[in-house]
Amino acid sequence: MDNELVTSIINEVVKRVQEESCIEIEASGKHVHLDRATIDVLFGEGYQLTKARDLSQPGQYACKERVTLIGPKGTLHNVVVLGPERKESQVEVSQTDAVVLGVQVPVSESGKLEGTPGIIIASGSSMIRLERGLIAAQRHIHVKAEDAGKLNVTNGEIVQVKVYGKRPLIFDDVLVRVSANYETYMHIDYDEANACGFVKGTKGKIIKKSI
Ligand SMILES: [Zn+2]
């Protein structure tokens, strides 16, 4: 084989291996998930959220409804409600949003709300104080069960992800969540998106952590 052929084969193999461990990234802005009791207070007894747009994860959607978050130092308006309703309300903001609100917000896995601070949510003239549930979501990858083998990851694993943005960087402490109900996407917040020059379609490559 001549050198050119060898080089092109090597390049093709490298490209395919890279593509295999590459995942698409999505950036999530601040949003709230609401439980029944909170929806009742904010929008009225028995109110049903209005779906506006499907999200990448099956069954998850952005709603028409918007709320205001009120912290000790400031407020955040026009915060989108994501559906469907949850068992417990959860408010996800970036660290920049946390500074505006004037609350120390812990980085936490979605659903792990023990010890998290509360926040006031308002809609029109209605208002409710959540006792807990304000978090900065830990960056994570939703992995469709059938992709887990190809990506060589398991549920609950912590990996790094190298992002090929305008300002490439490696995110550490990325939680892998595997489920048959997921589509494979990494989720970061707007602070993280801005840090890596994220644009729609930005991809990242999973790097296994050595023990
Ligand atoms: Zn997510």
Side-chain angles (χ1 to χ4, degrees), residues 5 16-18 34 43 48 68 103 132 143 150 168 205:
L5 183 59
R16 283 192 196 176
V17 168
Q18 275 177 351
L34 302 177
F43 300 105
Q48 294 300 310
T68 299
V103 186
R132 66 179 201 176
V143 177
K150 191 178 77 179
K205 179 178 162 24

Side-chain angles (χ1 to χ4, degrees), residues 28 57 92 110 138 140-142 177 185-188:
S28 311
Q57 297 308 312
E92 298 180 38
S110 180
Q138 181 179 3
H140 56 277
I141 311 169
H142 297 268
R177 298 164 64 189
Y185 284 95
M186 177 175 177
H187 283 164
I188 56 177

